[in-house]
């Protein structure tokens, strides 16, 4: 009986120590950037072809930070205008962020813009939205889609995006991921501690009963 109790206590102690050590070993996916190798835009509005060409290039969207007009993809020059993609807080939107749940991925791209420059002239239109799609945890490959309704933009008249027209965006590629620690649930530690306490209580009662029997 005494040996059994000691084995129980030892097992519970090992469990608690293992769970406490697991706090440092538990990891989750943290995406630092989305490297896309293909994309497309389903939209026939003004600058639609240029926009589609920009998304068809290889590019990278940084997560957690904004990017300038030459960071996401290589700009395209047509005539006197240079067209590009960038992210920014012009509409108060946060920097891109990612959420992954199993094989599902959600990306907040509300700060994504399309724009052109011509000397000192600058025009920009928000093209972002909440993108959703599929994610492969083994290969980190993703595919995303989102819709955006154009309703004018920064620059009206002949510079607008042809009034209120909806566009659908597609992106696919590979996510750059890093492993980050995940705090162990306090409930798990509490449960394991309780088991250890119960083991100690059984040992104490058995010892007390043994002492009574001897006396």
């Amino acid at each position: 009986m005494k040996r059994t109790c000691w084995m129980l206590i030892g097992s519970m102690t090992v469990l608690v120590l293992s769970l406490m050590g697991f706090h440092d070993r538990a990891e989750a996916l943290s995406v630092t950037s989305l490297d896309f190798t293909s994309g497309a835009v389903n939209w026939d509005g003004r600058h639609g072809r240029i926009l589609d060409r920009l998304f068809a290039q290889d590019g990278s969207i940084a997560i957690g930070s904004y990017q300038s007009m030459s960071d996401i993809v290589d700009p395209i020059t047509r005539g006197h205008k240079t067209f590009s993609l960038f992210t920014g807080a012009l509409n108060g939107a946060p920097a891109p962020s990612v959420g992954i749940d199993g094989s599902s991925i959600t990306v907040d791209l509300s700060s994504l813009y399309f724009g052109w420059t011509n000397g000192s002239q600058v025009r920009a239109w928000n093209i972002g939205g909440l993108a959703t799609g599929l994610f492969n945890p083994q290969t980190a490959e993703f595919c995303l889609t989102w819709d955006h309704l154009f309703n004018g933009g920064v620059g009206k008249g002949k510079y607008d995006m042809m009034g209120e027209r909806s566009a659908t965006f597609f992106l696919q590629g590979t996510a750059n991921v890093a492993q980050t620690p995940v705090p162990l649930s306090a409930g798990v530690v509490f449960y394991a501690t309780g088991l250890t306490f119960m083991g100690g209580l059984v040992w104490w009662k058995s010892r007390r009963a043994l002492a009574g029997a001897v006396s």
Side-chain angles (χ1 to χ4, degrees):
M1 178 67 177
K2 184 176 181 180
R3 181 180 179 183
T4 302
C5 291
W6 275 110
M7 291 177 63
L8 177 61
I9 294 172
S11 298
M12 293 301 100
T13 303
V14 170
L15 175 61
V16 172
L17 292 176
S18 298
L19 289 172
M20 293 176 67
F22 181 75
H23 171 85
D24 294 326
R25 294 194 300 270
E27 296 178 333
L29 293 178
S30 175
V31 179
T32 58
S33 66
L34 297 175
D35 296 339
F36 57 92
T37 54
S38 61
V41 182
N42 184 14
W43 184 58
D44 59 359
R46 186 180 178 87
H47 304 313
R49 291 184 178 180
I50 291 291
L51 192 56
D52 191 59
R53 284 178 57 192
L54 287 169
F55 274 86
Q57 298 184 84
D58 291 348
S60 182
I61 297 176
I63 303 302
S65 62
Y66 298 115
Q67 292 172 277
S68 69
M69 288 186 169
S70 60
D71 288 342
I72 296 179
V73 295
D74 291 333
I76 295 176
T77 299
R78 185 174 180 180
H80 299 290
K81 296 178 181 177
T82 299
F83 299 85
S84 58
L85 302 176
F86 67 97
T87 51
L90 299 182
N91 60 351
S97 60
V98 174
I100 296 176
D101 183 8
S103 60
S104 299
I105 183 172
T106 302
V107 184
D108 184 353
L109 292 176
S110 55
S111 61
L112 181 62
Y113 281 82
F114 162 73
W116 59 255
T117 60
N118 181 8
S120 61
Q121 286 186 304
V122 179
R123 296 291 183 271
W125 298 266
N126 182 260
I127 60 172
L130 186 63
T132 58
L134 299 176
F135 179 77
N136 187 325
Q138 282 72 43
T139 64
E141 294 176 304
F142 69 87
C143 61
L144 291 169
T145 182
W146 74 96
D147 295 321
H148 185 88
L149 179 65
F150 290 106
N151 53 359
V154 182
K156 301 292 184 178
K158 66 179 180 179
Y159 298 118
D160 70 14
M161 300 294 275
M162 302 297 288
E164 294 189 355
R165 306 180 71 165
S166 180
T168 301
F169 295 80
F170 305 91
L171 276 182
Q172 65 179 27
T174 304
N176 285 319
V177 297
Q179 302 294 332
T180 56
V182 177
L184 185 64
S185 169
V188 175
V189 176
F190 179 79
Y191 176 72
T193 305
L195 288 178
T196 303
F197 173 78
M198 290 298 294
L201 183 61
V202 170
W203 171 80
W204 180 79
K205 286 185 176 181
S206 65
R207 183 179 180 183
R208 186 176 181 183
L210 181 61
V214 171
S215 62

